[in-house]
Amino acid sequence: VVKLSQYHAERTRSANEEAKAYGYRESEGTVVKLRSARVQPENVRSGERATFDMNYAVLAPPSAGQVAVTERWQLSKDGKSLSEMPAQQVSREPGGWRSKASIDIPKGAEAGTYVVKSRVEAGASYDERVSTFVVR
């Protein structure tokens, strides 16, 4: 089992900036859009730390106030699910958000390419992206 060793989130854009960027209308209700997801560094050794970086938008009518958001990361290799990190359940104001979660690559981890599926959810809306990193 892989555990998150560090987690950090910050707001990156206002609700108005995000609504304009996506052509969002209040009648759409709550919507999440995952702009990017990546792993830093792209090449790691066992025993080192990898950071999953997610950049997303929370779009909601102003009357919604705080939005319940769930961030998830799933780790797999060679088509087999290895671990799903504990979901981060947070309240977010509408706008742009960036979150980073780090894991320590276990000593003796098998060399090769690992796949991280990053997913953000709010209400009935979700978006996900896949990124990779290599253990040397």
Side-chain angles (χ1 to χ4, degrees), residues 37-44 48-54 98 100-103 105 116 131-134:
R38 63 186 181 149
V39 181
Q40 295 283 350
E42 293 178 358
N43 292 288
V44 296
E48 293 181 343
R49 181 167 285 173
T51 300
F52 307 153
D53 188 334
M54 195 175 351
R98 181 178 186 189
K100 292 181 176 186
S102 297
I103 63 166
I105 305 301
V116 177
S131 53
T132 61
F133 67 99
V134 175

Side-chain angles (χ1 to χ4, degrees), residues 27-81:
S27 61
E28 295 176 66
T30 300
V31 177
V32 288
K33 297 283 187 183
L34 187 51
R35 248 188 309 283
S36 66
R38 63 186 181 149
V39 181
Q40 295 283 350
E42 293 178 358
N43 292 288
V44 296
R45 287 186 168 83
S46 62
E48 293 181 343
R49 181 167 285 173
T51 300
F52 307 153
D53 188 334
M54 195 175 351
N55 192 331
Y56 63 92
V58 176
L59 304 163
S63 61
Q66 296 279 321
V67 175
V69 173
T70 302
E71 301 169 353
R72 299 181 189 276
W73 295 272
Q74 183 178 10
L75 184 63
S76 61
K77 182 177 186 308
D78 301 328
K80 295 180 186 167
S81 179

Side-chain angles (χ1 to χ4, degrees), residues 96-117:
W97 290 89
R98 181 178 186 189
S99 63
K100 292 181 176 186
S102 297
I103 63 166
D104 294 320
I105 305 301
K107 293 224 183 274
E110 187 180 339
T113 301
Y114 289 74
V115 176
V116 177
K117 181 164 62 172

